[in-house]
Amino acid sequence: MKVRVDDDACHGHQMCAIAAPEVFGSDDYGNAVVLIDGDLPPELEAKARRAEGNCPERAIIIED
Amino acid sequence: MTATDDPRIDPLTDYDIFDRDFILDPFPVMDEIRESQCPIAHSDRWGGSWMPTRYNDIVAIAQEYETFTSQQILVTPPPPQQAEGAYANVAAPPISSDPPEHHWHRRLILPFFAPQAVAKYEQGTRDLCNSLIDAFIDNGRGDAAADYAQQIPVRVIATMLGVPTDLSDTFTGWVRGVLEAGLTDPKVRMESRMNILNYFRAQIDDRKANPRENDLITTLLNAEVDGQKVPEEYVHGVCNLMLVAGVDTTWSAIGASLWHLAQHPEHRAQLRENPDLWPMAIEELLRAYAPVTMARLVGHDTEFEGCPMKAGDRVLMSFPAANRDPRQFDRPDEVILDREHNRHVAFGAGIHRCAGSNLARLELRVALQTWLDRIPEFELEDPSAVTWAGGQVRGPRQCQVRFPVG
């Protein structure tokens, strides 16, 4: 599983980083950044899905 | 049948956001509107407004900033004299800004509010919370709203703005004048606005004469956009916004959360036994007790979900209503601290997402954690004696609790 952030849709709610702090962080402006290059370790997949389900802007994109 | 006690009021055509029953418990009225044939209600009261109640409609309005402008953002129209005089051009950027100016209005302040930037306020906030509890813990009772919640955000914001925290009661009075009494009393609203703007005008003059290191106001005064210093009216407006938006809102969220926890020992136990739950629990409390309703002004005649909206119409974005929509949230009226999917919009959505949300969350978490550490068991002294404010910002204003001493 890979994840990415749609930068046009993200408005910095940071709810992805709250749900999955190992996967998502913040840039200097509070917008979401993905902290992991490439495939997520399997143990973080459930958290990443939770992050996707917590974004009010639907800016988290999961690519299985 | 209507959900209010007054049989004359039809919520679909005549809701009253300042009705005492609505302030006390707005959710039955919101549910009635949301499940009706007309989920976007209209009322002529208080200058007139539309009130959508479904999550998808409210998020769409928040995201469609070209149609739904931020020329006015409070739930009642401004006093006529606000457009005159020395401060006529001082607004509350970026919340009162529309694109394209909105972009730089917001971008200049966002770095102050990123998660990594607000972390430095955590220890000071914890110390403040402890000192507030020290003042009443030996009494076995205290007011979770007035003695605690109300006292926290104003001091954090004052610290951030570099203004004296011992003026907190004065600042709180001004903010309540704008966001509470002033919404239905133009004179109070204008006086409170002038007090705030006069105070920050003097602060800006002071920073120009005596620039400070690591100071938000000084930093903004020196900020440049496209090689030009930003207008002082922008800095003035940001100060206005930070005070007005940073006090009532977070205080209401802290107070409502303590009101909830006072009545739910099982949630107190859940947090005690599973501290990892805190970040998600904070989001769930924000969902269930979202304090803020913002307004938009329709920019041009439009039809939205079958409603004929005219240029200049006011639309209320009731984030509390959105957050209780069963189309979006399972069992929306239940607080489920470990809720799996929670796309709540307590902080709004789109380009105007609350710039201070990371600070608000930090304050809410630290305030609740500190309270539960010191006062693990507590209950409402008299549930019927709890008073609430509402309209723009909903939260408890008096909330007496009792607890074992020692």
Side-chain angles (χ1 to χ4, degrees), chain B residues 38-84:
Chain B
C38 187
I40 302 177
H42 186 275
S43 172
D44 289 332
R45 291 174 190 260
W46 306 110
S49 61
W50 299 91
M51 184 164 71
T53 50
R54 291 188 181 174
Y55 178 93
N56 284 346
D57 290 344
I58 292 166
V59 170
I61 288 165
Q63 291 174 335
E64 288 177 20
Y65 54 81
E66 287 176 349
T67 303
F68 300 101
T69 75
S70 292
Q71 293 167 39
Q72 293 180 19
I73 45 176
L74 296 191
V75 296
T76 58
Q81 66 269 42
Q82 188 171 314
E84 303 158 6

Side-chain angles (χ1 to χ4, degrees), chain B residues 263-342:
Chain B
Q263 302 171 85
H264 289 275
E266 76 282 11
H267 287 161
R268 302 197 298 265
Q270 201 180 349
L271 287 164
R272 198 159 46 235
E273 287 155 15
N274 185 5
D276 291 345
L277 201 57
W278 270 108
M280 300 305 288
I282 292 298
E283 298 309 305
E284 174 65 351
L285 290 164
L286 283 164
R287 182 193 68 80
Y289 300 110
V292 177
T293 297
M294 295 301 294
R296 292 287 183 267
L297 227 53
V298 176
H300 53 83
D301 291 3
T302 187
E303 185 173 300
F304 182 79
E305 295 297 317
C307 295
M309 298 183 176
K310 299 283 180 201
D313 281 1
R314 186 175 311 275
V315 181
L316 307 183
M317 292 189 298
S318 172
F319 301 123
N323 282 353
R324 300 285 188 115
D325 185 349
R327 291 159 193 77
Q328 180 65 30
F329 302 97
D330 291 336
R331 294 184 287 159
D333 293 325
E334 276 181 56
V335 170
I336 302 169
L337 293 181
D338 57 356
R339 189 178 283 276
E340 175 78 15
H341 287 160
N342 186 0

Side-chain angles (χ1 to χ4, degrees), chain A residues 9 11-15 18-19 26-31 46 49-59, chain B residues 63 106-107 110-111 114-116 279-280 283 328 338-344 348-351 353 358 361:
Chain A
H11 288 294
H13 293 256
Q14 283 292 303
M15 285 160 77
I18 290 164
S26 159
D27 68 11
D28 289 346
Y29 297 90
N31 289 327
R49 287 190 197 285
R50 187 170 192 161
E52 191 283 323
N54 278 264
C55 177
E57 313 286 354
R58 299 181 183 263
Chain B
Q63 291 174 335
R106 183 171 171 89
R107 197 161 171 88
L110 282 178
Q116 55 274 32
M280 300 305 288
E283 298 309 305
Q328 180 65 30
D338 57 356
R339 189 178 283 276
E340 175 78 15
H341 287 160
N342 186 0
R343 301 186 201 269
H344 78 77
I351 64 170
R353 184 269 310 168
N358 298 305
R361 283 186 178 113

